[in-house]
Amino acid sequence: MTKEEIAELVSTKGAIQRREADEMVEVLLEQIKKTLEREDRIKITGFGNFEVKRKADRRGRNPQTGEALTIQSRRVLTFKPSAVLKNSINGES
């Protein structure tokens, strides 16, 4: 599903103009992005949690040459689905 399809669905289900739905979706996604950039957690009840975690430097190797190297620290976005979402996907109540 694309952002355009989401906006179309919001417009149809919410009985609002398409332009307003586009703006709503854009604002929502921008706020999610800014929240994650600050490394704050996002919890959507019945859906799941988004969280940015830090990974430390670690040892690795170049698979082509076998040369040892250090993989730099980084931030990783994680998503943990809620039990409600997991059950819904698996067809359970």
Side-chain angles (χ1 to χ4, degrees):
M1 180 173 254
T2 66
K3 186 165 55 171
E4 290 297 317
E5 291 169 333
I6 293 170
E8 180 65 34
L9 188 61
V10 168
S11 174
T12 304
K13 294 277 186 177
I16 61 173
Q17 292 184 358
R18 176 60 193 266
R19 186 180 67 230
E20 292 174 339
D22 285 340
E23 290 175 17
M24 290 174 63
V25 170
E26 196 61 44
V27 167
L28 174 67
L29 294 175
E30 186 63 30
Q31 188 59 48
I32 289 172
K33 182 175 129 183
K34 286 180 180 181
T35 301
L36 293 170
E37 285 173 352
R38 290 191 312 264
E39 296 187 28
D40 289 342
R41 185 177 189 201
I42 297 176
K43 180 177 182 175
I44 303 172
T45 304
F47 188 73
N49 299 314
F50 294 90
E51 187 175 6
V52 176
K53 294 185 178 183
R54 290 192 173 266
K55 286 196 162 192
D57 288 349
R58 61 186 174 97
R59 304 280 304 155
R61 67 175 186 85
N62 182 330
Q64 292 179 333
T65 64
E67 175 186 358
L69 53 94
T70 301
I71 300 171
Q72 299 295 316
S73 64
R74 61 192 173 149
R75 297 185 305 171
V76 179
L77 176 62
T78 63
F79 173 72
K80 183 176 181 190
S82 72
V84 173
L85 179 58
K86 286 180 192 178
N87 292 339
S88 176
I89 290 171
N90 290 313
E92 300 169 12
S93 297

